[in-house]
Amino acid sequence: MKNDQLAKLNFEGWPLPETYLAELGRVAALWATLESFLNMCIGKLAGFNDLSDSKPFILVTHSSFPQRLDMLAALCEQLVRDFPNLKDYPSVVQQLRQAQKLRNDYMHYGMALNEESGQVQMAKGTARGIVKVGVEAVSIADIRRASIAIHEANLALYKLVLGRTIQPIWERR
């Protein structure tokens, strides 16, 4: 299909109401930024200071997020004696884990509009030891909480590694 044909298609409300799609897009965009920054921080803590050096990219890019958090924690633990600003790394790692959990909820489970109730619902399930399944209502506020957690985790990582406090976007505006 050509670009002009694509531009004429009406995707409004598909697969979810536009407000939900915008918030899910925000979660995805913030997450991509956080992951890239985490990779850069791991490289910096590992001694790669040149941003054009591809070695840290090669070493971390295909690692899972939990593996990257383990790398970050181990590097901080090894460096904290020489760089006391890294002392808060356990709480930052925990904040990053919580942000990942919230992100995963919205990126790994399907959502649909329940026409009868007018609510957006998400089917969730896990099979770790026991099977747990269910359907829960999702609000815009729920998704925004995930965006806030991701953004705040990114700012905490920024402060930890680069030593600069940046206010959240809603406090800067």
Side-chain angles (χ1 to χ4, degrees):
M1 192 175 292
K2 297 191 184 278
N3 288 350
D4 60 331
Q5 293 171 308
L6 286 170
K8 293 176 186 173
L9 296 176
N10 181 1
F11 285 172
E12 190 171 328
W14 175 74
L16 294 169
E18 299 301 305
T19 53
Y20 280 80
L21 295 174
E23 294 304 328
L24 291 169
R26 189 179 330 277
V27 167
L30 287 166
W31 186 257
T33 299
L34 181 133
E35 276 199 296
S36 294
F37 185 58
L38 175 60
N39 292 352
M40 187 181 80
C41 288
I42 290 168
K44 183 166 180 54
L45 292 171
F48 298 98
N49 289 313
D50 181 358
L51 291 177
S52 64
D53 189 341
S54 61
K55 288 187 282 302
F57 175 80
I58 292 165
L59 294 170
V60 302
T61 198
H62 295 293
S63 301
S64 70
F65 192 78
Q67 289 170 323
R68 292 178 207 179
L69 291 182
D70 288 343
M71 289 178 208
L72 175 71
L75 285 164
C76 287
E77 185 271 331
Q78 290 295 302
L79 295 169
V80 73
R81 285 179 292 288
D82 295 327
F83 300 96
N85 59 296
L86 297 174
K87 70 181 175 345
D88 293 331
Y89 79 88
S91 66
V92 173
V93 169
Q94 184 55 38
Q95 202 171 353
L96 290 161
R97 284 189 208 289
Q98 180 61 26
Q100 181 195 24
K101 180 192 174 308
L102 290 169
R103 176 254 182 205
N104 286 352
D105 279 351
Y106 299 108
M107 295 296 122
H108 290 218
Y109 298 110
M111 285 183 248
L113 178 63
N114 180 322
E115 298 288 343
E116 289 178 20
S117 69
Q119 291 183 314
V120 170
Q121 297 178 322
M122 177 169 53
K124 290 178 72 172
T126 65
R128 292 193 172 126
I130 59 169
V131 175
K132 292 189 237 176
V133 294
V135 175
E136 57 187 56
V138 177
S139 70
I140 293 295
D142 295 330
I143 303 170
R144 282 188 170 186
R145 282 186 188 89
S147 291
I148 286 170
I150 294 165
H151 182 57
E152 289 178 337
N154 198 21
L155 296 178
L157 181 61
Y158 197 93
K159 181 178 179 183
L160 178 75
V161 176
L162 300 180
R164 182 167 173 227
T165 301
I166 299 175
Q167 295 301 313
I169 191 71
W170 51 89
E171 292 180 17
R172 287 183 257 162
R173 292 192 167 168

